Amino acid sequence: MKPCRITNEQLIALHYKKQNIIKGALIYSAGDTIAAFLLDEFSIYRLLGMMFVGATFYAFEIPNYFDWIVKKTIHLKGLKATLAKTLLAIAYFNPLWIARHLLFIQLFSGEFGDINFSLLEIAFWSFLVNIPISFLANYIIQNRFKIKWRFLGSAIFSAIMAIYYALSEVIFS
């Protein structure tokens, strides 16, 4: 069996930068805090927890996934490239991602009894209803923003969506 050789083009440089950590902590928690106030569910623990998630999970995962999208679609041109980038971004923010976000909300709110499989159902309906808006936003983020601005654009959009995700527990329950 021949040994597998990996070229530099196949390697993904992992990004976890101070600026993304700060942006992730502030922007993601801001969206969730707005939702928490709208639902009369504000908690300092939830705020701190969402700051932690924004500064860790999201600040690491999202820029690296966006970098992977660029590498995966570099050979595509025109409409095919545009659609591929947009659909790959939508695929990332799928019902499992939304359910995980809802799980974080429940954990940091201390609502352990609300952690169950209904979060998946809520996430599914939230994702399905959101597809037209998500398609437009991800089209803009993936195809109109330079790579260095995509995390910020996505974070702002996700902060707005965090309000929707928190409200979707009420809407889709």
Side-chain angles (χ1 to χ4, degrees):
M1 189 166 173
K2 270 176 112 172
C4 181
R5 292 210 168 134
I6 298 174
T7 64
N8 286 339
E9 294 82 37
Q10 293 170 315
L11 292 175
I12 294 178
L14 296 179
H15 306 284
Y16 191 57
K17 299 176 181 176
K18 182 178 178 180
Q19 66 186 24
N20 288 345
I21 293 168
I22 294 168
K23 290 174 190 173
L26 296 176
I27 297 170
Y28 283 99
S29 64
D32 185 70
T33 299
I34 292 168
F37 277 120
L38 288 172
L39 296 169
D40 197 28
E41 296 176 352
F42 178 78
S43 159
I44 192 70
Y45 301 112
R46 178 172 168 172
L47 171 63
L48 293 173
M50 294 311 287
M51 288 179 80
F52 172 76
V53 168
T56 56
F57 292 100
Y58 299 164
F60 178 75
E61 292 175 354
I62 296 169
N64 287 299
Y65 186 75
F66 288 172
D67 190 44
W68 178 82
I69 289 174
V70 169
K71 286 178 171 69
K72 190 75 174 164
T73 60
I74 199 146
H75 65 284
L76 301 175
K77 301 288 181 228
L79 183 60
K80 201 171 192 178
T82 300
L83 287 175
K85 289 176 186 177
T86 303
L87 293 173
L88 285 169
I90 290 171
Y92 177 76
F93 298 103
N94 63 58
L96 291 175
W97 191 92
I98 297 168
R100 182 182 68 170
H101 186 80
L102 296 174
L103 170 74
F104 288 141
I105 291 171
Q106 299 307 327
L107 282 174
F108 300 132
S109 299
E111 300 293 332
F112 305 112
D114 291 338
I115 297 172
N116 56 51
F117 284 106
S118 70
L119 294 179
L120 286 171
E121 182 180 352
I122 294 165
F124 171 78
W125 289 111
S126 178
F127 175 78
L128 198 63
V129 169
N130 175 50
I131 287 175
I133 295 166
S134 186
F135 185 88
L136 178 61
N138 282 297
Y139 163 77
I140 293 167
I141 292 165
Q142 293 300 318
N143 295 287
R144 299 292 179 222
F145 287 21
K146 292 185 184 293
I147 187 74
K148 73 179 193 172
W149 294 106
R150 288 183 191 161
F151 177 67
L152 178 62
S154 179
I156 292 169
F157 175 63
S158 292
I160 294 165
M161 293 311 299
I163 299 167
Y164 169 69
Y165 297 146
L167 294 173
S168 66
E169 283 193 78
V170 175
I171 298 167
F172 299 115
S173 290

